[in-house]
Amino acid sequence: MKPFRYERASGIASACTSAAEPAAKFIAGGTNLLDLMKLQIETPAHLVDIASLPLAEIEETAEGGLRVGTRVTNSALAADMRVRRLYPMLSQAILAGASTQLRNKATTGGNLLQRTRCPYFYDTTKPCNKRTPGAGCAAVGGINRMNAVLGVSDDCIAAHPSDMAVAMTALDARVETVAPDGATRSIPIDALYRPPGNTPHIETVLAPGELIRSVLLPPPPLGRQVYRKVRDRASFAFALVSVAVVAAREGDRVRAARVAFGGLSYKPWRSAEAEASLEGATATRASFDAAGVLALKDARGYGHNDFKIPLARRTLRATLADAVGL
């Protein structure tokens, strides 16, 4: 590990100012960053520790939603009775990820900003545009079973690893940020992540020193919430495909539906086309299959991950059937 300067932040404003310096990084739980530092994939010169800042509360909003501080741990968020009652899908998604020990340390903001688990990103002997811009992407022609099939480019096919972010995307959550100059923003989670294009090393729309202060969950949507994760083993494994669905049924028809996928793209992938096709459709497996075709119509496999496309369609069908009670 390379030497670095460590600073324990005394306030939000000073933390943002310090983190805006070149080669500076925020650190909270450290469950991803410290691993990357040990491998010298991340080599920050300055760590700004926000662990003492008052950002670890879950508060009810006047509109009937919840505001989740960026330092709320994954375990605390999944166990909160308001989350379990109003957003059960969010609890399901969090508990499907990592291990108990990691969830006890990992934070809400850090989970959203964790970096890809693409094996070529972690292997410093292989070219990776996300790690070293301009080096090339070894995954495109390599063993890419875990990589993305939607919204990526030939410069990078890395998939976003978060389970929590997929559920939050289906729930229309927003991240609330503060910048070094005190300016604040509210960003839909769907708009937080930048497509890789030819600059895959720039992963989010956040500016240097801009801190995710909280995540705003709006009032819970109409319908039943279900999160389904398909993975190689029952625990401590990243998603091959995951699906977050909120669906309401009225008689034999789908009244409303929301659909988000994990494991398929550089971000949690929300499918407006699938949602539009489901609204008012007869609640049958055939209509769910049609929604899956629309959701994956632009998907492209890269060899080893070709199976993800039909798997995602089948997983969506099963999750929708569960949500509407078929």
Side-chain angles (χ1 to χ4, degrees):
M1 185 181 291
K2 294 186 176 181
F4 58 89
R5 178 184 165 207
Y6 173 82
E7 175 186 349
R8 181 168 290 177
S10 59
I12 293 173
S14 62
C16 292
T17 299
S18 293
E21 297 174 3
K25 289 273 186 180
F26 290 116
I27 187 169
T31 57
N32 186 208
L33 178 58
L34 292 178
D35 284 343
L36 294 174
M37 289 174 66
K38 291 174 184 177
L39 295 169
Q40 296 191 14
I41 295 168
E42 291 273 14
T43 55
H46 184 183
L47 286 184
V48 182
D49 189 346
I50 64 169
S52 61
L53 298 185
L55 299 171
E57 300 297 323
I58 302 174
E59 303 169 327
E60 298 177 17
T61 66
E63 296 76 22
L66 293 175
R67 177 170 281 107
V68 181
T70 194
R71 285 188 46 239
V72 173
T73 66
N74 289 180
S75 291
L77 185 58
D80 187 278
M81 290 306 297
R82 294 163 296 183
V83 174
R84 293 173 63 183
R85 183 179 73 254
L86 300 174
Y87 311 100
M89 176 170 64
L90 181 54
S91 283
Q92 294 166 18
I94 293 170
L95 293 174
S99 65
T100 302
Q101 293 90 338
L102 287 170
R103 293 193 296 266
N104 286 344
K105 288 293 291 181
T107 61
T108 298
N111 184 292
L112 295 177
L113 297 179
Q114 65 182 297
R115 306 199 70 186
T116 184
R117 267 44 177 205
C118 175
Y120 296 104
F121 174 69
Y122 274 78
D123 185 349
T124 56
T125 68
K126 299 297 191 295
C128 172
N129 288 318
K130 189 178 285 291
R131 190 183 64 246
T132 307
C137 178
V140 169
I143 300 172
N144 47 45
R145 183 171 178 271
M146 297 296 294
N147 290 79
V149 297
L150 280 168
V152 289
S153 70
D154 286 343
D155 285 318
C156 182
I157 58 171
H160 194 271
S162 175
D163 290 287
M164 185 186 78
V166 180
M168 285 185 168
T169 297
L171 292 168
D172 279 341
R174 304 179 71 89
V175 294
E176 299 177 320
T177 72
V178 58
D181 63 0
T184 60
R185 287 201 287 173
S186 178
I187 308 167
I189 283 185
D190 190 54
L192 175 63
Y193 305 102
R194 286 172 50 112
N198 59 5
T199 56
H201 60 292
I202 305 174
E203 297 178 343
T204 73
V205 299
L206 299 180
E210 188 172 8
L211 173 68
I212 294 179
R213 186 172 186 169
S214 55
V215 174
L216 179 64
L217 295 169
L222 178 70
R224 183 168 181 235
Q225 304 172 25
V226 179
Y227 184 77
R228 185 180 295 254
K229 180 176 181 177
V230 181
R231 48 187 164 173
D232 286 327
R233 56 183 184 270
S235 66
F236 203 55
F238 293 100
L240 296 168
V241 171
S242 64
V243 180
V245 161
V246 185
R249 180 177 173 180
E250 189 171 319
D252 65 347
R253 295 192 176 273
V254 178
R255 180 176 174 184
R258 297 183 188 179
V259 172
F261 292 94
L264 298 184
S265 186
Y266 66 94
K267 66 174 183 176
W269 190 263
R270 185 86 177 261
S271 178
E273 296 93 338
E275 293 174 0
S277 75
L278 289 165
E279 187 171 348
T282 306
T284 63
R285 285 175 172 77
S287 63
F288 301 161
D289 283 337
V293 170
L294 286 171
L296 277 296
K297 64 181 176 62
D298 295 323
R300 172 192 171 188
Y302 291 84
H304 295 279
N305 66 353
D306 292 352
F307 73 96
K308 282 193 173 190
I309 298 171
L311 178 61
R313 291 173 182 148
R314 294 195 302 270
T315 306
L316 176 61
R317 179 182 64 199
T319 312
L320 283 166
D322 189 5
V324 302
L326 282 187

